[in-house]
Amino acid sequence: MKGSTHGSQSKQPHFVLVPLLEQGHIIPMTDLAHLLASHGALVTFVTTPLNALRIEAVIQHAKESQLPIQFLPLAFNSAKAGLPEGSENLDMLSHGVQEFAALLELCFSNKDPLISYLREHETPPSCVISDEVQPWTGEVAREFGVPRFSFAGFSAFASLCRDISILHKIYDNVTDEHQPVPLPGFPHPVEIPKNKSLLNFYVPGLEKVTEKMKEENSKIYGVIVNTFQEIESLYVDSYEKLTGKKVWAVGPMCLYNKG
């Protein structure tokens, strides 16, 4: 009887979600967790002790709603990475790229604890959905032979702008940050000055992370975007062509937060 129960449980989809440690990324991914759980999937939401405290209301709401969401706060030794004690979120950093790189690289140390946790879990993972700048999660997915999907918490338009600017290095020789710069290959004419561009992770000081990102981005199964097809079909299609990956528009995530 026990074996039969385990077999039936193992058929339940089990999504492992790993956001970037920043509120603008954590919040839409908690909404994604609620969306998946409302359809009967089991969700493991990976976080840290301090970030778990920040979303305590969300965790409590999931418990009260009896949604199958398990919040997993993995230990995060910020002092080990040379960061101030308790620095577990990007909004706690004050010294630019150096601290940013240290925090992102420290996230890599979560790989083995997460693998150990999932090995002991009665329901094997079905897939991993993680932020682009959590590339170590690709190794976790391969450990269990499941796909990894990248998560973009902002629109397809913004994702397309960012990736085109990185691919063509359009801001490399720009000295005037207010000068409008055209985006080559965009589905219609658009110009964005450097000071209005999205954060570019491909900058000096982040080489270890960005090299791993490049490697893992080529291996993902697709991209989950916080948008909806009816308003961004042109940009979703263009983003698919640019990345060569399937793009799923499953937003806006905030609509699933009924509380």
Side-chain angles (χ1 to χ4, degrees):
M1 185 70 175
K2 183 178 179 181
S4 172
T5 302
H6 180 80
S8 62
Q9 288 178 332
S10 65
K11 293 179 181 178
Q12 182 183 24
H14 181 186
F15 291 78
V16 180
L17 308 189
V18 188
L20 173 66
L21 300 179
E22 197 272 333
Q23 293 307 98
H25 294 248
I26 292 173
I27 292 171
M29 201 171 272
T30 61
D31 292 335
L32 175 61
H34 282 78
L35 169 62
L36 294 168
S38 69
H39 285 277
L42 173 64
V43 178
T44 293
F45 190 98
V46 180
T47 184
T48 70
L50 187 143
N51 285 297
L53 287 175
R54 285 185 162 193
I55 58 171
E56 178 60 34
V58 174
I59 295 174
Q60 191 59 37
H61 178 264
K63 288 180 180 178
E64 293 171 355
S65 303
Q66 297 185 323
L67 289 172
I69 305 174
Q70 300 172 340
F71 290 87
L72 176 63
L74 296 177
F76 201 77
N77 190 351
S78 51
K80 179 182 178 181
L83 295 169
E85 190 71 35
S87 298
E88 299 180 18
N89 194 293
L90 293 185
D91 64 16
M92 297 176 168
L93 307 181
S94 57
H95 297 289
V97 173
Q98 185 176 0
E99 285 193 347
F100 184 31
L103 184 139
L104 292 180
E105 290 177 20
L106 184 59
C107 290
F108 284 45
S109 65
N110 284 337
K111 182 188 74 172
D112 290 339
L114 180 55
I115 288 174
S116 296
Y117 171 84
L118 293 173
R119 277 181 181 154
E120 296 175 3
H121 203 287
E122 62 181 353
T123 305
S126 305
C127 74
V128 175
I129 302 176
S130 58
D131 200 281
E132 180 183 26
V133 291
Q134 299 282 31
W136 56 272
T137 56
E139 296 181 49
V140 176
R142 288 191 293 277
E143 182 72 21
F144 296 94
V146 299
R148 177 200 172 211
F149 298 86
S150 178
F151 178 74
F154 38 73
S155 67
F157 175 90
S159 299
L160 184 61
C161 289
R162 183 198 59 187
D163 282 21
I164 286 178
S165 67
I166 293 171
L167 177 65
H168 295 281
K169 302 178 180 180
I170 65 172
Y171 298 115
D172 280 8
N173 299 313
V174 173
T175 56
D176 181 0
E177 293 196 347
H178 300 277
Q179 173 190 343
V181 180
L183 270 66
F186 206 77
H188 57 75
V190 64
E191 297 181 339
I192 301 176
K194 188 174 184 178
N195 67 340
K196 297 294 184 181
S197 64
L198 281 172
L199 175 63
N200 181 359
F201 294 109
Y202 295 86
V203 296
L206 293 176
E207 288 85 0
K208 179 179 177 180
V209 176
T210 54
E211 284 305 310
K212 190 66 174 175
M213 284 169 58
K214 286 180 182 178
E215 176 188 341
E216 291 295 340
N217 279 346
S218 67
K219 300 175 182 177
I220 62 172
Y221 278 64
V223 185
I224 311 296
V225 183
N226 187 12
T227 188
F228 58 104
Q229 188 76 28
E230 289 80 2
I231 197 172
E232 284 209 299
S233 59
L234 176 62
Y235 308 122
V236 169
D237 293 345
S238 298
Y239 195 41
E240 281 190 341
K241 292 176 183 177
L242 181 70
T243 61
K245 305 291 183 180
K246 173 65 178 175
V247 175
W248 284 270
V250 295
M253 301 292 181
C254 60
L255 295 182
Y256 300 103
N257 186 354
K258 305 298 183 183

